[in-house]
Amino acid sequence: MNPRETTVYGSLLHEDTQRQRRVRVELRPKDIDKATEAWRRDWEVAVTGDLEPRGTSGRMRRVTAFAGAAEVLVGFDLKGFTG
């Protein structure tokens, strides 16, 4: 695994169902510490970026926002994801 990547499990905001998905996220250097803290504290995260389909999961590139907090709803921008 690339040290600038993480896997996020959650639902997509643009879907009607709360189906859980696994998404590989390419982190920006400034988001690595945020992601580590969220993992250590078992926080949910919100991520915005370009989501590319990969079978039943996806890969998020060009992240524009990453936030980790105890009360954040997991969300992804959906672009071209049909899975």
Side-chain angles (χ1 to χ4, degrees), residues 10 17 21 38 45 61 63 80:
T17 65
R21 297 185 182 271
V45 297
R61 297 174 188 240
V63 169

Side-chain angles (χ1 to χ4, degrees), residues 23-70:
V23 176
R24 295 287 303 152
V25 177
E26 292 182 2
L27 297 171
R28 300 171 296 179
K30 67 181 182 178
D31 296 327
I32 294 171
D33 288 340
K34 292 180 197 176
T36 302
E37 182 176 5
W39 176 77
R40 285 184 179 147
R41 295 177 183 253
D42 199 27
W43 286 346
E44 292 184 350
V45 297
V47 184
T48 304
D50 295 335
L51 185 63
E52 301 170 356
R54 278 212 167 161
T56 59
S57 64
R59 180 175 203 84
M60 185 170 291
R61 297 174 188 240
R62 294 172 294 283
V63 169
T64 57
F66 185 98

Side-chain angles (χ1 to χ4, degrees), residues 6-25 45 47 51-60 74-83:
T6 190
T7 301
V8 176
Y9 297 90
S11 58
L12 303 174
L13 293 178
H14 295 84
E15 288 188 336
D16 293 334
T17 65
Q18 291 298 312
R19 180 177 166 199
Q20 296 292 298
R21 297 185 182 271
R22 181 181 67 234
V23 176
R24 295 287 303 152
V25 177
V45 297
V47 184
L51 185 63
E52 301 170 356
R54 278 212 167 161
T56 59
S57 64
R59 180 175 203 84
M60 185 170 291
V74 177
F76 309 101
D77 272 356
L78 181 63
K79 294 183 180 179
F81 197 92
T82 58

